Amino acid sequence: MLKDYTRLSPSSGWQECAGFGWVGNTPDATDTGLFDVVRRDYVRDSAPTVLRLKLPAGRCTAHLLTGDPNTLNRSLIVRVDGIEKARSEQLDGREFTWLRIPLDGGSSGRVVDLELSAKEDETWHLSACVVVADGPS
């Protein structure tokens, strides 16, 4: 169970106090009313969109859930600092997958921008984003 989960929506503009939000282009959203709170809603767009995250100090992992409760879901491409960090496979309807993006908040935490995109003329979907501090190695 996720503690303190907040739905990501088009109105989630960047606010440092929230620790996440959109910068620039704002995606569209769909509420299917299906499944659980994490899978029933998603944001989507055909244009690249930046999701800014406030990271804790140290190494952490951003877990991004992509999929669609009803229909085919195209690839979600995630870039950090212009470098591709993850790309989902095309999924059939009712299929979801978690992408894992290793990140580093440095010694005191920092802000990072995740660019979400898809191939040309396709639409990306994001159902959830959860950032978890990595345990000691």
Side-chain angles (χ1 to χ4, degrees):
M1 176 81 124
L2 295 173
K3 180 182 168 191
D4 299 327
Y5 179 75
T6 302
R7 179 178 177 257
L8 188 58
S9 73
S11 64
S12 301
W14 165 249
Q15 294 181 20
E16 188 170 356
C17 62
F20 66 90
W22 305 111
V23 178
N25 181 46
T26 308
D28 293 323
T30 297
D31 180 354
T32 65
L34 302 172
F35 297 128
D36 51 63
V37 68
V38 176
R39 294 181 296 165
R40 79 169 176 233
D41 303 332
Y42 59 87
V43 290
R44 68 188 187 303
D45 212 310
S46 57
T49 304
V50 173
L51 176 61
R52 182 168 287 165
L53 302 174
K54 185 176 178 181
L55 302 179
R59 294 184 183 273
C60 57
T61 302
H63 301 266
L64 281 68
L65 181 66
T66 187
D68 189 302
N70 295 308
T71 188
L72 178 76
N73 186 60
R74 304 291 187 182
S75 295
L76 169 62
I77 303 167
V78 183
R79 289 182 179 83
V80 179
D81 298 327
I83 299 167
E84 186 175 315
K85 296 292 184 175
R87 180 184 296 239
S88 67
E89 297 295 321
Q90 180 173 298
L91 302 169
D92 290 330
R94 298 190 172 269
E95 284 189 306
F96 291 83
T97 192
W98 286 98
L99 299 177
R100 289 165 181 77
I101 317 297
L103 299 168
D104 191 339
S107 60
S108 59
R110 71 180 183 105
V111 170
V112 66
D113 290 342
L114 304 183
E115 181 191 85
L116 310 177
S117 64
K119 295 177 186 174
E120 189 173 339
D121 298 324
E122 294 184 355
T123 301
W124 57 265
H125 291 190
L126 178 66
S127 298
C129 176
V130 180
V131 177
V132 178
D134 295 349
S137 45

